[in-house]
Amino acid sequence: MDEKEKKTLIPDIFIPLLFMCLHILAQAFGMFVVSLYLSFQKSAQGAVQLDELKDQLSGMIADPLKVSAMSFIAALILIPIYTFYLRSRRAKLPGVLEKQRLSGQEIIRVIITSFGVIGLVNLWMLLLQGLSDKVPFFSAQLEEYDELISSLTGDNLPLLWEILVTALLVPLSEELLFRGIALAHFRRSLPVVLAVLLQALLFGLFHGNFVQTSYALIPGLVFAWAYIRYRNFLVPILMHSCFNLFGGVLSSYLEGAGELVQGLFTGVIEFSLLFSLIFIWQDIKARRQQPKREI
């Protein structure tokens, strides 16, 4: 590492952490705005009582509609900020918002890999469930995770609203943060493998609890690999959207669609996982066969 890289290392680690804090603050602000609005709506005189506002805030996490509205507000704040920052830093950060043209075959490979990521996460969850029978820690963490997911899913959310927030706005804001700001800064001062690992770790920790942190590492790694591989920022956004849409938003609808539909979806996931591993192996093999550049 030369002197120039040493000088940029600290800010390149610090800046992504600073933007993560901004992301959390934006979510807190969204939570406050939603709670304030509901308190005004509930108050007959139009005056907000402090105790009522506290009740609204404490009940946020248990209401899917409130959490969704909070995410919507946060995304509307963060997306312009992240985009402006990345565009303004384009000349100084490697691989920022690249838009290399994709072929039809590459787009199909990206979509298949998105389903493959869901398959990898499903396998990891099955492993955790198997370990939970023998390790009390995993059992407690899965129970906490199940309670959280139950509180965040409900029938009172319109499907189009869920798609807008969970499958479009949230993936866009998170990709701008992690595969945009974080990955670009880490790549400037660290080897690419370490940069990918570090941004995936932050992406996992960002989700808060042990179970989500552990499985978020998988898409965090794959989305970053796909961005570097295809050099198009729309790729991780598309993959993240597919992951949230089919792995989250539509999961409850698929459960109620009957065994045939569930079986077909499971088959698609399993085949996608197989092909995803083949695609990644082919890419690794092709890169190893490329002649090394002379220094």
Side-chain angles (χ1 to χ4, degrees):
M1 182 179 291
D2 58 29
E3 290 300 321
K4 184 178 179 181
E5 289 175 330
K6 287 180 181 179
K7 289 180 181 179
T8 62
L9 179 59
I10 293 177
D12 280 339
I13 298 296
F14 177 74
I15 289 174
L17 295 176
L18 187 64
F19 275 105
M20 281 183 64
C21 293
L22 175 64
H23 203 109
I24 294 170
L25 286 174
Q27 291 179 328
F29 176 75
M31 183 183 300
F32 175 77
V33 170
V34 173
S35 300
L36 190 64
Y37 170 75
L38 292 174
S39 298
F40 268 119
Q41 216 177 31
K42 192 174 181 180
S43 176
Q45 293 80 23
V48 178
Q49 300 295 324
L50 185 58
D51 290 340
E52 189 175 316
L53 182 58
K54 288 180 179 179
D55 291 340
Q56 291 289 350
L57 285 169
S58 63
M60 276 286 295
I61 194 63
D63 191 322
L65 186 57
K66 293 178 184 178
V67 172
S68 181
M70 173 201 72
S71 299
F72 176 79
I73 294 171
L76 291 185
I77 295 170
L78 293 167
I79 289 172
I81 295 174
Y82 293 162
T83 303
F84 173 79
Y85 177 79
L86 289 170
R87 288 185 179 276
S88 65
R89 299 285 290 173
R90 218 170 202 172
K92 296 184 179 181
L93 293 174
V96 169
L97 302 178
E98 290 188 280
K99 294 181 181 179
Q100 180 171 289
R101 188 178 180 86
L102 297 176
S103 67
Q105 183 181 8
E106 286 175 329
I107 294 173
I108 293 173
R109 287 168 72 108
V110 166
I111 295 174
I112 291 174
T113 304
S114 304
F115 284 98
V117 173
I118 298 175
L120 281 173
V121 170
N122 288 344
L123 287 178
W124 174 250
M125 293 299 293
L126 288 174
L127 176 62
L128 287 182
Q129 290 171 3
L131 291 172
S132 67
D133 296 333
K134 301 178 181 179
V135 183
F137 172 78
F138 291 124
S139 178
Q141 293 299 320
L142 282 171
E143 185 176 344
E144 179 183 331
Y145 171 74
D146 290 338
E147 290 176 0
L148 174 65
I149 295 301
S150 297
S151 68
L152 295 179
T153 56
D155 299 328
N156 59 331
L157 288 177
L159 178 58
L160 291 178
W161 172 258
E162 280 194 273
I163 292 174
L164 172 65
V165 177
T166 307
L168 292 176
L169 294 179
V170 169
L172 178 55
S173 64
E174 292 185 357
E175 289 307 309
L176 286 168
L177 173 57
F178 292 101
R179 261 61 67 183
I181 296 171
L183 183 59
H185 275 284
F186 295 158
R187 287 177 70 186
R188 185 169 67 165
S189 300
L190 299 170
V192 64
V193 174
L194 186 56
V196 169
L197 289 173
L198 185 55
Q199 63 82 35
L201 178 61
L202 289 182
F203 183 61
L205 292 173
F206 179 75
H207 286 79
N209 60 78
F210 171 79
V211 174
Q212 285 181 298
T213 294
S214 65
Y215 76 62
L217 288 171
I218 298 172
L221 290 170
V222 177
F223 296 166
W225 162 81
Y227 180 34
I228 294 171
R229 162 67 177 82
Y230 295 104
R231 298 178 62 184
N232 189 315
F233 194 69
L234 293 177
V235 167
I237 295 174
L238 174 61
M239 297 179 76
H240 199 153
S241 294
C242 288
F243 181 84
N244 282 11
L245 178 62
F246 292 97
V249 173
L250 298 181
S251 59
S252 58
Y253 293 91
L254 291 172
E255 288 176 3
E259 294 183 2
L260 177 61
V261 174
Q262 292 182 49
L264 288 173
F265 182 70
T266 301
V268 169
I269 294 298
E270 290 175 351
F271 277 106
S272 297
L273 174 56
L274 175 61
F275 282 109
S276 299
L277 296 175
I278 293 173
F279 296 155
I280 294 173
W281 170 249
Q282 287 176 341
D283 182 66
I284 294 173
K285 188 176 179 181
R287 287 179 178 272
R288 285 180 176 177
Q289 292 175 349
Q290 289 177 354
K292 295 183 179 179
R293 298 179 180 177
E294 294 183 1
I295 298 175

